[in-house]
Amino acid sequence: MIEKSFEKIIKKLSEEKQNLEIILQQKLVAWEAEMLKLVTSVKGIGRRTAAELIIYTQGFKDMNSYKQLISYAGLSPTEYRSGSSIRGRVRICKQGGKQLRHILYMCGLNAKKTNSQCKALFDRLVEKGKNKKAAVIAVCNKLLKIVFGVVKNKTMYQDNFIAKSA
């Protein structure tokens, strides 16, 4: 009887969660429809991640470079050093949003399979000897660079884009 009661509660909570996500998407479309469309055009970035990025960064309002965005997400690499002799491994600076970092990590796992640029980066880094987790973090950074470029240039993502030299 207790298990059935808990199952009903869990079912009701999951329905409420779905309703809240629908409301969030509607409000986001009303607030930043164009930006949502631009961010979701990047392969590997879904609607939830796009919503999180837009909300966390307040529509990329105060972001002037992709480095700020990477640092804000807590994915910037930092090296432990003390003097000239002690050098530790390079790790990510975890001072950004934990939830955003987690969602971007999941997107990085997806993007290394679906996005050709991210797949090439991941394969190249693993071939050079990087561990796979560090390569996925590099893919996350690449995704953030792409998202920043797409938003600032107000152009849809093109998978096979070739830059014109000036």
Side-chain angles (χ1 to χ4, degrees):
M1 192 156 102
I2 293 172
E3 287 179 8
K4 286 186 178 185
S5 175
F6 280 140
E7 287 174 5
K8 286 180 185 177
I9 292 171
I10 290 171
K11 184 178 179 183
K12 191 70 174 167
L13 286 174
S14 65
E15 289 173 4
E16 186 67 24
K17 180 184 172 190
Q18 289 176 344
N19 291 338
L20 288 174
E21 285 179 0
I22 290 169
I23 291 170
L24 173 68
Q25 287 294 328
Q26 290 171 347
K27 289 186 183 274
L28 197 58
V29 166
W31 178 47
E32 289 286 353
E34 182 184 351
M35 189 174 297
L36 183 65
K37 188 176 177 183
L38 290 171
V39 174
T40 54
S41 71
V42 177
K43 286 185 181 178
I45 301 286
R47 293 184 68 80
R48 181 174 175 210
T49 306
E52 292 279 344
L53 276 170
I54 293 170
I55 291 169
Y56 268 100
T57 61
Q58 298 174 0
F60 298 91
K61 185 175 65 175
D62 295 328
M63 299 291 155
N64 298 322
S65 71
Y66 68 87
K67 291 179 182 180
Q68 284 180 328
L69 181 59
I70 290 171
S71 179
Y72 191 74
L75 291 170
S76 57
T78 57
E79 180 182 11
Y80 172 73
R81 285 174 36 176
S82 178
S84 61
S85 62
I86 299 176
R87 290 202 170 111
R89 286 184 10 194
V90 176
R91 297 180 179 174
I92 59 171
C93 174
K94 295 185 177 182
Q95 291 181 346
K98 180 179 180 180
Q99 183 179 0
L100 183 60
R101 188 170 50 248
H102 173 71
I103 290 171
L104 286 168
Y105 187 82
M106 292 298 142
C107 286
L109 291 174
N110 182 26
K112 74 177 186 172
K113 296 177 183 174
T114 59
N115 191 325
S116 61
Q117 293 176 348
C118 294
K119 181 175 175 37
L121 174 68
F122 180 81
D123 292 340
R124 187 178 74 237
L125 290 175
V126 170
E127 191 176 296
K128 279 186 175 179
K130 288 273 189 188
N131 66 19
K132 291 184 179 178
K133 203 174 251 190
V136 172
I137 295 297
V139 168
C140 294
N141 286 339
K142 177 79 170 180
L143 279 176
L144 285 177
K145 288 177 188 179
I146 293 170
V147 167
F148 183 79
V150 163
V151 168
K152 288 301 176 182
N153 293 327
K154 293 184 173 37
T155 57
M156 296 291 279
Y157 174 71
Q158 300 169 2
D159 194 26
N160 55 359
F161 179 76
I162 299 172
K164 296 177 183 175
S165 57

